[in-house]
Amino acid sequence: MRTYFHVDMDAFFVSVEELYDPSLRGKPVVVGGRPDERGVVSAASYAARKFGVHSAMPLRTAYKLCPQATFVDGHPERYREYSHKVYEVLHAFSPLVEMASIDEAYLDMAGTERLYGPPLRAAHLLHNRMKESTRLNCSIGIAQSRLVAKISSDQAKPNGVLWVIPGQESAFLAPLDVRKVPGVGKVTERNLHALGIRKVGDLARLDEAFLEQRFGKWGMALAGKSRGLDAGGWFDTEIGEDEGPKSISHEHTYSEDTADVAQLESTLARLCEMVGRRLREHNLHARTIQLKLRYSDFSTITRAHSVARGTQLDTELFEEIRDLFRSNWKSGAAVRLLGVQASGWAEGDEQLSLMGEERHERWKQTLAAADRLRDKFGESAVSLAASLRGGFRERTHENPAGLPGKKK
DNA sequence: TCTGGGGTCCTAGGACCC
DNA sequence: TCTGGGGTCCTAGGACCC
């Protein structure tokens, strides 16, 4: 028999911001940006949630609901730092830890009984340690499956511990809304409601074959989930396996839509630099490059191209992206968002770029130097994008290593 | 209600191969 | 002359998660 903990930090981004500015404590706080900006709520304090504010809500809407809230920008570095602290606490507690996102983790508690005693006692011990070490609150769900542990940590919020005793899974799940099942979002919820299915119990009573016929592979997984089983999807892999990223992407939404080619291509160059940099950090070479384009009316297209050999070089990424952009952008149409994604890692020999080996080496050294400068002086220290407005073509021709030329 | 950014997984069709 | 059956790779879109 297995015992899993799901540890979920309470209002994580808000709580971290409160550590930096204690005057925020207890107040309605919205993390994500200023109330008049294009963007959505990343996190809302419990005081703000009372007004109906929740994450993913447009900032402007949040402002209408709760104008007295303090709106703060997000600080990803701070969250990464605290996420690491959280991980340290968890890893010291049990070696089998898997961070599921920046603010939540699964622990496999197999064989820890002698050390910590029964599950509830162990969870309270961990709960206290988390608070002492990080000054942050968390909620802990305990169950025989990861799925039920996750749902029970949600039910335990805020700042609580909840153990679903083995054998009680179905009884625990039955009265909950189907939306509580991870993987059931707006659309699936609507589809289930249309069939008269509102509670997890309604789902569990249904015939598996019916669900499969109606929802395909998903239906099968759904049938298992309604009974608390880790079947299908994300819950299949063992805890502790870290396989590295499958894709790396960056995107940008303009504060005002634009149809200015120079501006658009300069943004693409910057996004390519950011993607390239992360590829080099992970020592990955991407074979597939994807452009994402969103117009003013929010209609969105993606266009991808795969090459035989992978790349991690800004300019090679940019050449692919620029071609995709030029052949797919409805010329003159105002653009809301641009995105660049790299995926399909090449391995071994395939990692050699299209360039000759020697030039390739020089390029890598140049980029490594640029990466170091960025570490020191920030993202804008060195830029291909900044040099673009003057005409990228000419520049690349006469100076293939044009990258390090510009300093701001 | 005028809708971020970074990810994962699934589906489905077409190309291509044997 | 009435139309195989896999398998794999690529591409596009969409649901979902935090």
Side-chain angles (χ1 to χ4, degrees):
Chain A
M1 194 197 72
R2 293 199 176 259
T3 304
Y4 291 107
F5 281 14
H6 181 255
V7 181
D8 202 321
M9 307 307 292
D10 294 342
F12 183 60
F13 293 176
V14 173
S15 305
V16 171
E17 295 302 333
E18 285 174 0
L19 293 180
Y20 280 85
D21 180 2
S23 77
L24 296 174
R25 252 182 257 166
K27 290 186 189 159
V29 176
V30 172
V31 178
R34 286 189 307 278
D36 58 334
E37 274 177 343
R38 254 186 188 175
V40 298
V41 176
S42 290
S45 68
Y46 286 98
R49 290 182 204 185
K50 288 197 178 129
F51 294 86
V53 177
H54 58 79
S55 47
M57 170 183 279
L59 291 167
R60 291 184 166 111
T61 310
Y63 181 74
K64 281 177 198 154
L65 290 172
C66 188
Q68 69 272 42
T70 307
F71 287 76
V72 299
D73 283 331
H75 296 93
E77 343 73 55
R78 295 180 182 176
Y79 312 141
R80 275 195 292 272
E81 181 196 336
Y82 273 87
S83 182
H84 192 251
K85 289 184 185 187
V86 166
Y87 174 79
E88 301 275 283
V89 173
L90 298 174
H91 192 258
F93 195 74
S94 167
L96 294 175
V97 183
E98 184 179 310
M99 293 301 289
S101 72
I102 197 158
D103 71 339
E104 62 178 311
Y106 291 96
L107 270 64
D108 185 338
M109 296 300 289
T112 62
E113 189 110 347
R114 251 190 309 171
L115 198 57
Y116 300 123
L120 263 187
R121 191 175 169 276
H124 280 113
L125 199 61
L126 175 58
H127 197 257
N128 290 338
R129 280 195 195 174
M130 186 60 77
K131 183 71 175 183
E132 284 163 19
S133 306
T134 66
R135 293 181 291 156
L136 295 170
N137 290 336
C138 66
S139 296
I140 305 178
I142 310 162
Q144 252 187 106
S145 69
R146 297 218 258 165
L147 174 78
V148 176
K150 177 162 172 71
I151 297 173
S152 73
S153 75
D154 188 48
Q155 295 300 109
K157 283 186 174 299
N159 204 22
V161 173
L162 182 60
W163 181 27
V164 177
I165 298 167
Q168 297 300 303
E169 290 82 3
S170 294
F172 164 70
L173 294 172
L176 303 179
D177 288 337
V178 287
R179 189 61 195 270
K180 292 280 181 182
V181 176
V184 175
K186 235 192 201 159
V187 175
T188 308
E189 183 188 38
R190 202 194 313 126
N191 291 337
L192 289 171
H193 281 182
L195 295 168
I197 304 162
R198 309 192 80 85
K199 304 292 179 185
V200 182
D202 301 335
L203 204 49
R205 272 192 293 277
L206 288 175
D207 196 45
E208 262 189 40
F210 169 77
L211 281 170
E212 190 184 11
Q213 175 230 320
R214 195 84 201 199
F215 295 99
K217 202 174 161 181
W218 229 103
M220 285 294 282
L222 217 47
K225 284 167 193 283
S226 71
R227 296 169 175 80
L229 303 173
D230 279 345
W234 324 271
F235 293 106
D236 272 354
T237 51
E238 285 298 310
I239 282 188
E241 296 174 27
D242 183 14
E243 294 173 0
K246 299 209 162 86
S247 67
I248 288 175
S249 66
H250 284 283
E251 58 185 60
H252 176 73
T253 297
Y254 292 104
S255 52
E256 280 176 45
D257 300 348
T258 177
D260 176 350
V261 189
Q263 191 182 5
L264 291 166
E265 293 198 357
S266 156
T267 300
L268 288 174
R270 185 170 56 85
L271 293 169
C272 286
E273 288 172 359
M274 293 162 73
V275 169
R277 171 147 205 231
R278 303 227 348 257
L279 287 170
R280 294 189 292 280
E281 273 170 16
H282 290 274
N283 195 26
L284 291 168
H285 295 72
R287 288 193 47 239
T288 304
I289 317 298
Q290 185 186 256
L291 168 76
K292 181 164 161 184
L293 196 46
R294 175 171 291 155
Y295 294 103
S296 297
D297 65 357
F298 221 73
S299 62
T300 308
I301 61 161
T302 57
R303 291 294 178 268
H305 185 230
S306 293
V307 292
R309 297 173 177 280
T311 185
Q312 55 175 195
L313 300 181
D314 304 352
T315 44
E316 290 187 346
L317 292 169
F318 181 65
E319 276 169 31
E320 292 294 338
I321 282 291
R322 192 189 46 195
D323 288 348
L324 285 168
F325 175 72
R326 290 185 178 173
S327 47
N328 289 287
W329 177 48
K330 282 185 285 177
S331 192
V335 173
R336 179 189 177 93
L337 168 149
L338 288 173
V340 173
Q341 187 202 59
S343 63
W345 313 140
E347 28 201 301
D349 295 348
E350 290 181 292
Q351 292 195 359
L352 292 174
S353 88
L354 291 164
M355 293 185 191
E357 188 123 22
E358 184 201 337
R359 270 185 72 206
H360 184 76
E361 242 344 280
R362 271 211 327 264
W363 249 109
K364 275 179 83 164
Q365 286 166 19
T366 305
L367 286 166
D371 288 346
R372 285 194 296 274
L373 273 177
R374 289 202 188 95
D375 280 337
K376 263 190 172 166
F377 304 114
E379 200 58 50
S380 62
V382 175
S383 181
L384 176 80
S387 61
L388 198 63
R389 285 176 178 273
F392 182 77
R393 269 239 149 96
E394 291 70 35
R395 192 172 295 276
T396 44
H397 253 266
E398 68 200 28
N399 176 19
L403 190 71
K406 289 279 168 180
K407 262 191 205 173
K408 268 193 195 161

